[in-house]
Amino acid sequence: LRTDPQEVKTYLPQASAVQKLLSPAEMGELFKVLVVGHQPMLGQTIAHLLQLQSPECPVRKGSVWWLRQRQRWDHSQTVLIAVQSPEFL
């Protein structure tokens, strides 16, 4: 993975709010975002992006989630592409 160090953001402490993590002001013009963290922030972030009914999504320790955001007509959609559990990595 190659990236410009200027584009990398560090979000500490672990209790960072989901809204801060996903805010356009924080993400800037990034096209790819890698989020590494712990529950409950990861589950809350995934639930928010996928617009789930529940405020949290269960996330297995060590798993990898691939989400993609796309424009559809006049709004954006987040699509779950894949989930990989650690025993299959």
Side-chain angles (χ1 to χ4, degrees):
L1 175 67
R2 291 177 159 208
T3 187
D4 181 350
Q6 301 269 337
E7 295 178 347
V8 176
K9 302 265 186 191
T10 302
Y11 294 90
L12 295 175
Q14 294 176 9
S16 293
V18 172
Q19 297 302 333
K20 179 182 183 219
L21 178 65
L22 298 174
S23 77
E26 291 295 323
M27 291 175 59
E29 294 296 319
L30 294 179
F31 294 104
K32 297 176 183 111
V33 177
L34 173 66
V35 178
V36 178
H38 298 277
Q39 287 285 54
M41 189 182 80
L42 287 177
Q44 291 168 351
T45 302
I46 291 167
H48 177 80
L49 288 170
L50 294 176
Q51 299 176 356
L52 301 179
Q53 297 289 332
S54 173
E56 291 185 18
C57 176
V59 176
R60 186 157 181 208
K61 185 176 182 176
S63 63
V64 177
W65 289 61
W66 178 12
L67 301 160
R68 179 178 290 161
Q69 191 167 33
R70 63 184 182 186
Q71 274 308 113
R72 278 283 196 210
W73 298 286
D74 61 344
H75 66 280
S76 63
Q77 289 181 325
T78 301
V79 180
L80 175 62
I81 304 296
V83 177
Q84 190 69 56
S85 61
E87 60 267 4
F88 294 108
L89 292 176

